[in-house]
Structure formats: C-alpha cells, structure tokens
Amino acid sequence: GAGVSQSPSNKVTEKGKDVELRCDPISGHTALYWYRQSLGQGLEFLIYFQGNSAPDKSGLPSDRFSAERTGGSVSTLTIQRTQQEDSAVYLCASSLVGSDYGYTFGSGTRLTVV
Amino acid sequence: AQSVTQPDIHITVSEGASLELRCNYSYGATPYLFWYVQSPGQGLQLLLKYFSGDTLVQGIKGFEAEFKRSQSSFNLRKPSVHWSDAAEYFCAVGPLSGPGGYNKLIFGAGTRLAVHP
C-alpha cells in the first residue's frame, strides 16, 4: 500500500483479555518494527522483523507479548492477559533494509486496558 | 551506551516566533540523525535526516537542523513558527547494530510544542 496501515486505531479491552494489533507495511519493505509509546515516554523498541523472521525480539517486555509476520508483509502483535500497564500507543514502522535507514510509521493503535 | 536526550519536555512559542528544539546524543561513531514530528492521533513523519556532508540540513515544512559533532547535538530550528507546527517532535540516532544487521534507531522522549496565536 501507499503507507503503513495499522488496525484498529483504538482498542479498549478488559484486563486479562487477549488483544491482536495488526500492521500492514509499505509494499516491498522487508523490514518491519514495532514500538510502544507510553504517555509522556519516548518510543520503546519492541521487535524487528526481516522478512518473516524476527532477529531481534529484545524489546518485548514479557512472555505475554508475541508477534509474527507472514508472507513478508502483514504483522500481528499479540498481547495475552492484558494488564493496565500495557495501555499505550503501539506504533509500527517499515523500511527498506540497507537504504536510507529512515522509517515510515503507521498512525498507531491506542490500546486502553480497563 | 547509545542514547538520545531531548532536554525540553514542553516548549511554548508565539506564532511567528523562532524555534529551536534541542537534541543531544551519545554514540560511538558518526551517527545518522533524524527528526520526526507526530501530530495528535498520527504516526511519526520524517522531517529531516543527517548522514554525512553538510552539517546544516534542510527538511520539510521549513525546518532545518544543524549537526555539531563537538557538542554531540542536532538541534532543530525554524525561523517562524506556524500554529500548525504544534505537535510532538522526536530526535533519533542510528544505526545501531542489531541481530541481522538491521537499522535500529533510538528515539528521544520527545518535545511537545505548543503555539500561541
């Protein structure tokens, strides 16, 4: 697509429920990144995909968080048994590996755990 | 360790006034530096980037930034601010070597800009 698309744009969920956040990167971008932006905080790196593999998962905060990418395109970030501290904006970005290192970001998913 | 510091959490300027947003970094080699802007409810948009060469770089929306190696700074400037510039601004540094040799960026905590009419 023309840009990075994320869905849903807003998600309110009850504590303890599982949620799935979706990212559709720019067509042809082999690199995909998930970041988390908490209120008043900077961007916290979560995970990086190169194609369908995730060489760097070092930012995932706990084993409740997982992500996958299929077909070198769409990625899903899953949070199991959500907690209130998971409330944040989850941003996805994509880029061409080895190009100008700039990322193109989606508009994010605002997750609120009540 | 690599890091990015944006010392100002909030800045308020009057419309038409000049603007400077500060960014300091810690990086072991010549960095690649970026400024992104985030309007409310939106993702981050790239304003400008520095890789090498001329230390004064021009970006979109009339912004510019100057790389000063001696001060480890990459401050963002605009001569005359418009009300539409109200947003959050993020400085980022990279690339950091990650598994698979990818281009990891580290972001600062952001500076929120308010513009008074």
Side-chain angles (χ1 to χ4, degrees), chain B residues 20-39:
Chain B
E20 183 169 33
L21 302 182
R22 295 184 290 165
C23 172
N24 294 99
Y25 66 88
S26 172
Y27 192 78
T30 301
Y32 295 169
L33 295 157
F34 305 82
W35 275 100
Y36 285 85
V37 61
Q38 185 180 34
S39 299

Side-chain angles (χ1 to χ4, degrees), chain B residues 52-65:
Chain B
S52 65
D54 193 347
T55 56
L56 184 64
V57 293
Q58 302 297 320
I60 62 171
K61 305 184 180 188
F63 285 91
E64 66 178 27

Side-chain angles (χ1 to χ4, degrees), chain A residues 33 35 37 40-43 45 48 55-56 58 89 91 95-108, chain B residues 32 34 36 38 41-46 49 51 88 90 95 98-110:
Chain A
Y33 316 82
Y35 281 81
Q37 185 180 20
Q41 303 296 313
L43 274 70
F45 168 80
Y48 157 72
D56 190 349
S58 61
V89 175
L91 290 165
S95 72
L96 287 167
V97 175
S99 65
D100 63 359
Y101 304 98
Y103 297 175
T104 301
F105 281 87
S107 298
Chain B
Y32 295 169
F34 305 82
Y36 285 85
Q38 185 180 34
Q42 301 297 312
L44 278 70
Q45 179 185 20
L46 181 66
K49 58 191 176 187
F51 286 173
E88 189 151 21
F90 292 91
Y102 73 101
N103 310 320
K104 184 175 182 177
L105 298 183
I106 287 183
F107 288 83

Side-chain angles (χ1 to χ4, degrees), chain A residues 11-17 36 38-39 64-65 79-90 111-114:
Chain A
K11 176 72 175 179
V12 180
T13 190
E14 292 181 351
K15 178 181 173 182
K17 298 286 179 116
R36 179 168 71 174
S38 302
L39 189 63
R64 295 187 295 105
F65 288 72
I79 309 173
Q80 295 178 310
R81 305 181 303 281
T82 52
Q83 303 295 312
Q84 287 188 331
E85 61 262 28
D86 299 335
S87 297
V89 175
Y90 289 82
L111 175 66
T112 304
V113 182
V114 298

